[in-house]
Amino acid sequence: MANVRGVELVPCHTVAGQQKGDRTNMAENSKSAEATVLNTKVLKKLKGAFQAFDTKSDNTVDIKEIGTIFYSLGFFPTQADLQKFTSEVEDERSGYIHWDRFLPAMTKVLLEDKFPPISDELLLQAFEVLDKEKRGYLEPEELTNYMTKEGEPFTQEEMDEMLTAFTDEEKKHIYYKDVIPHLTLERKM
Amino acid sequence: MSALLFLSKSSAIRAALLIQRWYRQYVARLEIRRRCTWNIFQSIEYAGQQDQIKVSSRNYCKSVKTVTLITHRNLISHIFRENEICRDVEWERYFCYKSIDVPDSYTGPHLTFPMTFCGVSKLVEAFKHKQQLHARYVLQILGETWRLLRILPNISHLSSCHTKEITICGDLHGQLEDLLLIFYKNGLPSTEKPYVFNGDFVDRGKNSLEILLILFGFLLVYPNDVHLNRGNHEDHIVNLRYGFTKEVLGKYRVHGKKILKLLQKIFSWLPLATVIDHKVLIAHGGISDTTDLNVIARVDRHKHMNWSVDDELKKRRRLAGFDQSYGERKKPDSDSDPDSLIPSVQMVDLLWSDPMPQNGCIPNEVRGGGCYWGPDVTEEVLGRHNLQLLIRSHECKQDGYEFCHNRRVLTIFSASNYYEVGSNRGAYIRMGADLVPHFVQYQASRTCRDVGWTERSALQALRRQLFVHKSDLISAFREFDPNNTGIISPSHWASATESVLKLGLPWRVLRPQLVSSTKNGMVDYQEWMKELSITEPKLEVTHFLLETMYKNHSNLETIFRIIDTDHSGLISYEEFRQTWKLLSSHLKTEISDDVIANLAQSIDFNKDGSIDINEFMEAFRLVDLSGVTPL
């Protein structure tokens, strides 16, 4: 069995759901072999992340939340990765994913270490590639150009948010070396 | 050359991809933290609310018992005065403002009646500049409002129209900044700009009275275009606990009591619901499977209690010698109902219920009144009345609004930053003749994404909860530590904490932010308990008493205020003793007279032997001396 990475997790319980709904024991439901591959600690973390988005208390989550679930578990999938994952586990285009299909698919992800985290150094290198003249910063227009035209483009909203959060107020530049610790500090939470 | 360009282009793409991936992860984590913080606030709020309703209703009965013990006739008449056989004319004389003079030194706004648009705008401006309206004018506005409300029906019917949109606002909870923000963005109410305000105007925020005066002012000027629905907080018992009573008495020391009495009448006369085009129902809480608008339209709304009291109350009142006969003494020219002050199930459901995802209809135990209703009930009730949408408030939503039940139920909440700065946005609805709701969101604060600050507040509130349950926590920890080593595992710590606090929070995850005393990954709970400490109180009391007081801080205050019959803010030593007796029987613990006497002694008594409630409550301040500060 591969070394299962200790995953960071910040799950949320829906309080109302706990008081009103009748939650079936998920661990009991999954009698598949994959369930026994994961140790209880990791299983609990997956369960917690899943339950946080199971707003209808029926062991399903909206596919739109899959990205957030992945991120909360410490994975860094691309949008393409997410789409592939979703298409494999979605319940017949219902827009929802059931725990019974989620668990084996997630187990595979964990065992194969499919979406490893990105180190700070890699992130710094990435910024330096874009900063061709090695000024130590990027102009907002440059960053916008890259983020909205290349890779998996940002929406206008995402771009505006990023600029608001990371642009230095006085100089109007993005000093990426200062931004990186901010991003990685979040990860250690 | 071209190969180089190609290479650099593809590495740029890879770099961009990497940064995008990182950023999306960052945003997702922020969102999760925000949700977690949200759940902390919600769970503490509901836990507190549940307790409050139980204590309030029980104390209502117990107060009667206490009354017979100490034969405190003032208490009786205070609590049951709503059934006095005063005619309205006599009440009007009592509330008369004419004898109150406005001194020359008064720098606030002067009002003329009948109210005009200019008059109300002037009032809004004055409140914006933090001026206070003179008691004379307050009573005048309230008097006029009371007179108007008495001729309004239980359910208002509006028609939408192509030239003007209706604006619908949810809970405001005394947050004047939000109301001013709405007026700023949307315009003041007028014939061209009709408004519906869906209850919970008061409590919690510190400008409940200003909000009421503004809303009543506009109601007086545009009675056909401004509609107020009653919320569960438009109730004098709820106000005792959640701050409105305190606000009024603090601002109007001489006339506060009269103002509160008049407000009590006004609240009971507030309409219950609004219907637009016979298609959209607007009510504060929601519905139940028995909701029938035809029945609701016919009740005498001012004669019914707003909240749920069980039959116990009626029984106890009879035992205490107060049967409902005082209500039976009829007014000569009216047909008063001998069952005054009984709860109306239809009304309670309308003002207290919450939607739930599952089908069915079950009692709302969290709130202690109303029910939880499911999507099937929504379909049935809306279908039965030929309605297409239910708009309600009553629950705080992160984005200010939220649909549920297949978009047939819409929650609208207009108090932004309700729990803390940054906790949520407020919103209001604009609706035209097509009856499609459009939303406008806002947040009355500088920074919107300040999750860190809100989070720290949530954790602070949580630490307070942990502190007040110290004794129970230690017992729970000891169960996992039979050899009394003082150390337990993090998962045992989490189970024990949840079993005591019952907040349904992810304790394992929160642990690093709450507990710093860990040894080799284990929790040193004895060390931790010492961390959660408070400053030296000015009173010499045992820890048990201290803990009891903290745990029951709000209950204590509520009881004090019920006993403080003349709303003076002072209670006598005897009343103080009775309060503690009441509390100790509620808690099923023993607090001896000696202990109470010592407690009373160590309080800085005013010379006349009475205790100032506010001073007493302020004597305690929980300061977190632990070194654990979150990011």
Side-chain angles (χ1 to χ4, degrees):
Chain A
M1 189 178 123
N3 179 28
V4 179
R5 220 164 357 110
V7 286
E8 275 279 16
L9 186 61
V10 188
C12 315
H13 292 254
T14 314
V15 174
Q18 280 197 336
Q19 285 166 331
K20 293 177 263 179
D22 212 2
R23 288 191 185 282
T24 46
N25 190 333
M26 287 192 205
E28 277 174 4
N29 275 345
S30 325
K31 300 248 167 68
S32 54
E34 284 92 336
T36 55
V37 169
L38 299 175
N39 66 51
T40 15
K41 194 168 162 198
V42 174
L43 190 60
K44 272 195 187 163
K45 280 182 174 152
L46 286 183
K47 191 157 71 146
F50 191 87
Q51 273 180 352
F53 297 95
D54 177 14
T55 49
K56 293 189 296 179
S57 307
D58 63 354
N59 286 347
T60 66
V61 301
D62 191 327
I63 43 160
K64 295 193 221 79
E65 305 280 22
I66 283 293
T68 319
I69 296 181
F70 265 99
Y71 296 136
S72 77
L73 291 165
F75 298 121
F76 287 73
T78 62
Q79 308 287 66
D81 294 329
L82 287 175
Q83 264 160 21
K84 186 152 174 288
F85 181 88
T86 311
S87 62
E88 282 167 14
V89 297
E90 187 185 356
D91 271 344
E92 294 127 22
R93 310 250 177 84
S94 64
Y96 286 92
I97 294 178
H98 196 276
W99 168 256
D100 290 341
R101 297 176 78 164
F102 175 80
L103 179 59
M106 274 310 289
T107 310
K108 215 164 126 204
V109 164
L110 278 169
L111 294 177
E112 293 173 19
D113 209 11
K114 270 187 172 176
F115 312 122
I118 301 167
S119 66
D120 307 0
E121 296 83 45
L122 264 176
L123 190 56
L124 181 61
Q125 279 176 23
F127 273 111
E128 283 174 345
V129 164
L130 301 184
D131 178 17
K132 291 193 278 277
E133 292 154 42
K134 308 285 177 265
R135 297 157 296 179
Y137 62 82
L138 287 170
E139 303 271 359
E141 301 82 48
E142 286 178 299
L143 188 60
T144 305
N145 219 17
Y146 282 119
M147 294 292 105
T148 56
K149 298 215 168 63
E150 308 287 8
E152 287 175 339
F154 274 176
T155 61
Q156 188 59 44
E157 204 190 324
E158 279 177 306
M159 197 63 238
D160 290 340
E161 268 179 9
M162 188 189 210
L163 288 177
T164 317
F166 297 144
T167 312
D168 179 285
E169 281 195 1
E170 281 175 28
K171 306 249 178 60
K172 307 283 184 234
H173 294 154
I174 293 130
Y175 291 92
Y176 48 83
K177 289 218 178 88
D178 300 329
V179 160
I180 289 174
H182 203 66
L183 285 170
T184 55
L185 195 60
E186 288 299 319
R187 181 160 75 92
K188 288 185 182 105
M189 259 242 2
Chain B
M1 181 74 160
S2 56
L4 265 171
L5 269 174
F6 174 71
L7 259 176
S8 74
K9 180 120 211 300
S10 76
S11 61
I13 294 175
R14 280 209 309 277
L17 198 54
L18 205 122
I19 295 172
Q20 283 156 349
R21 244 196 300 168
W22 248 110
Y23 182 73
R24 284 178 170 132
Q25 215 258 10
Y26 161 75
V27 168
R29 301 205 122 235
L30 264 188
E31 186 49 43
I32 289 166
R33 276 173 70 186
R34 194 204 306 268
R35 268 197 226 196
C36 215
T37 309
W38 175 261
N39 285 333
I40 293 176
F41 278 128
Q42 288 236 296
S43 66
I44 293 181
E45 180 188 14
Y46 285 135
Q49 215 172 53
Q50 190 173 11
D51 189 45
Q52 181 256 326
I53 298 260
K54 288 196 185 126
V55 173
S56 277
S57 65
R58 229 171 279 143
N59 276 318
Y60 212 63
C61 318
K62 288 214 164 111
S63 298
V64 173
K65 265 201 188 158
T66 313
V67 157
T68 54
L69 280 174
I70 64 177
T71 57
H72 206 329
R73 289 203 284 126
N74 286 349
L75 182 60
I76 307 168
S77 56
H78 165 69
I79 290 184
F80 297 111
R81 197 176 284 165
E82 33 274 294
N83 294 308
E84 262 180 15
I85 34 94
C86 261
R87 303 156 70 114
D88 283 345
V89 168
E90 286 168 26
W91 276 117
E92 297 207 8
R93 211 176 299 141
Y94 171 69
F95 292 131
C96 189
Y97 60 90
K98 295 197 177 123
S99 54
I100 306 175
D101 285 325
V102 181
D104 291 330
S105 54
Y106 171 68
T107 51
H110 291 270
L111 299 179
T112 53
F113 287 80
M115 285 287 274
T116 59
F117 180 73
C118 287
V120 197
S121 317
K122 204 168 51 170
L123 196 59
V124 175
E125 278 309 301
F127 288 151
K128 212 186 278 186
H129 295 108
K130 313 223 190 293
Q131 293 174 352
Q132 183 164 308
L133 187 65
H134 194 272
R136 177 196 173 100
Y137 298 127
V138 174
L139 284 167
Q140 218 173 339
I141 293 189
L142 295 183
E144 294 294 314
T145 306
W146 182 36
R147 239 164 267 128
L148 171 60
L149 289 175
R150 277 180 288 177
I151 60 178
L152 293 181
N154 295 348
I155 303 180
S156 313
H157 286 271
L158 324 190
S159 300
S160 69
C161 132
H162 291 281
T163 50
K164 54 186 182 181
E165 291 190 322
I166 301 172
T167 307
I168 303 159
C169 300
D171 294 29
L172 287 166
H173 280 302
Q175 297 187 187
L176 184 60
E177 324 78 56
D178 285 310
L179 184 60
L180 294 175
L181 196 50
I182 295 173
F183 285 162
Y184 176 74
K185 288 169 92 77
N186 198 51
L188 293 173
S190 66
T191 322
E192 280 73 47
K193 197 152 286 194
Y195 271 80
V196 178
F197 291 95
N198 201 16
D200 277 11
F201 319 119
V202 302
D203 278 332
R204 296 186 194 269
K206 51 187 177 59
N207 294 105
S208 300
L209 188 57
E210 283 76 22
I211 288 192
L212 281 184
L213 293 170
I214 292 175
L215 295 183
F216 292 159
F218 280 111
L219 176 69
L220 290 171
V221 180
Y222 300 110
N224 293 319
D225 302 293
V226 172
H227 303 268
L228 308 178
N229 290 339
R230 189 176 183 184
N232 62 306
H233 276 262
E234 275 69 59
D235 175 288
H236 62 290
I237 298 282
V238 178
N239 298 151
L240 279 169
R241 168 102 172 193
Y242 283 102
F244 182 46
T245 309
K246 193 171 173 176
E247 181 190 321
V248 174
L249 294 175
K251 290 177 176 166
Y252 293 95
R253 292 186 188 277
V254 178
H255 297 103
K257 186 178 138 215
K258 209 180 267 193
I259 293 174
L260 283 172
K261 193 68 215 167
L262 185 43
L263 279 168
Q264 195 180 315
K265 296 216 165 286
I266 287 176
F267 285 163
S268 73
W269 275 105
L270 281 171
L272 302 172
T274 305
V275 177
I276 304 179
D277 288 350
H278 302 285
K279 286 271 156 234
V280 178
L281 170 63
I282 310 175
H284 178 74
I287 54 177
S288 74
D289 50 359
T290 56
T291 295
D292 186 333
L293 292 182
N294 297 316
V295 170
I296 292 173
R298 291 196 308 260
V299 303
D300 276 331
R301 67 182 189 269
H302 68 290
K303 287 187 179 160
H304 291 275
M305 281 177 84
N306 171 22
W307 49 285
S308 182
V309 176
D310 51 19
D311 292 333
E312 258 293 283
L313 173 60
K314 289 195 218 160
K315 235 193 291 166
R316 285 176 187 259
R317 277 160 55 178
R318 251 181 274 268
L319 286 173
F322 298 105
D323 52 20
Q324 281 136 355
S325 58
Y326 53 76
E328 280 168 316
R329 281 174 288 172
K330 294 176 198 281
K331 298 189 198 181
D333 59 342
S334 76
D335 42 273
S336 72
D337 187 343
D339 282 336
S340 303
L341 263 211
I342 60 161
S344 153
V345 174
Q346 294 273 342
M347 263 180 69
V348 173
D349 285 343
L350 208 58
L351 267 53
W352 285 86
S353 302
D354 293 307
M356 65 174 178
Q358 305 90 340
N359 281 337
C361 193
I362 56 177
N364 191 325
E365 271 152 20
V366 173
R367 304 247 194 206
C371 69
Y372 284 120
W373 87 90
D376 55 336
V377 175
T378 298
E379 285 311 306
E380 196 274 312
V381 171
L382 290 186
R384 201 176 353 114
H385 293 94
N386 233 320
L387 299 163
Q388 70 190 38
L389 176 65
L390 165 63
I391 298 180
R392 45 88 64 174
S393 303
H394 200 38
E395 283 179 305
C396 184
K397 296 295 175 191
Q398 256 189 322
D399 290 315
Y401 74 93
E402 192 175 275
F403 278 106
C404 67
H405 294 188
N406 288 324
R407 294 180 78 90
R408 300 271 266 166
V409 175
L410 170 57
T411 304
I412 182 75
F413 195 85
S414 302
S416 68
N417 306 320
Y418 180 60
Y419 293 124
E420 258 304 345
V421 172
S423 68
N424 65 289
R425 292 195 268 188
Y428 59 87
I429 299 170
R430 302 259 316 179
M431 187 176 270
D434 57 359
L435 300 183
V436 172
H438 298 276
F439 304 98
V440 179
Q441 297 163 299
Y442 52 85
Q443 196 153 7
S445 92
R446 312 154 309 179
T447 44
C448 297
R449 261 204 185 283
D450 201 358
V451 176
W453 202 75
T454 316
E455 205 171 48
R456 275 192 286 278
S457 292
L459 288 168
Q460 190 76 320
L462 206 46
R463 255 182 241 116
R464 235 172 266 137
Q465 287 292 307
L466 289 165
F467 171 75
V468 300
H469 288 93
K470 209 158 148 164
S471 317
D472 291 334
L473 281 170
I474 292 189
S475 314
F477 294 147
R478 290 237 170 90
E479 301 214 357
F480 287 109
D481 182 23
N483 301 329
N484 217 354
T485 59
I487 314 268
I488 52 175
S489 74
S491 37
H492 285 160
W493 177 87
S495 315
T497 307
E498 176 56 24
S499 72
V500 171
L501 261 69
K502 302 199 204 341
L503 291 175
L505 291 171
W507 295 106
R508 299 180 64 153
V509 175
L510 293 170
R511 187 194 52 76
Q513 290 171 313
L514 294 169
V515 180
S516 65
S517 17
T518 49
K519 286 186 185 136
N520 307 318
M522 299 287 274
V523 176
D524 185 339
Y525 64 86
Q526 282 170 352
E527 202 44 50
W528 181 56
M529 290 274 101
K530 287 195 208 130
E531 275 177 19
L532 293 177
S533 51
I534 58 165
T535 128
E536 303 296 296
K538 297 180 208 151
L539 317 176
E540 282 163 24
V541 288
T542 61
H543 179 83
F544 166 70
L545 205 58
L546 200 63
E547 208 178 287
T548 309
M549 292 211 279
Y550 264 108
K551 223 187 266 201
N552 296 281
H553 186 279
S554 309
N555 292 341
L556 255 186
E557 186 164 0
T558 309
I559 298 171
F560 276 150
R561 293 201 182 278
I562 291 178
I563 291 201
D564 174 28
T565 64
D566 57 1
H567 288 307
S568 59
L570 301 170
I571 54 174
S572 71
Y573 170 68
E574 183 52 35
E575 286 164 329
F576 180 72
R577 207 176 64 83
Q578 286 300 331
T579 305
W580 277 103
K581 287 292 182 199
L582 225 138
L583 186 65
S584 65
S585 68
H586 165 63
L587 298 173
K588 300 191 181 32
T589 59
E590 253 312 300
I591 299 181
S592 73
D593 279 1
D594 282 341
V595 171
I596 296 178
N598 286 337
L599 181 59
Q601 287 286 61
S602 58
I603 295 172
D604 210 6
F605 261 86
N606 297 352
K607 284 90 183 169
D608 54 359
S610 54
I611 301 164
D612 184 305
I613 296 176
N614 288 324
E615 250 179 33
F616 181 75
M617 304 312 292
E618 284 300 315
F620 297 91
R621 210 164 291 240
L622 181 61
V623 169
D624 178 21
L625 294 185
S626 84
V628 181
T629 35
L631 295 172

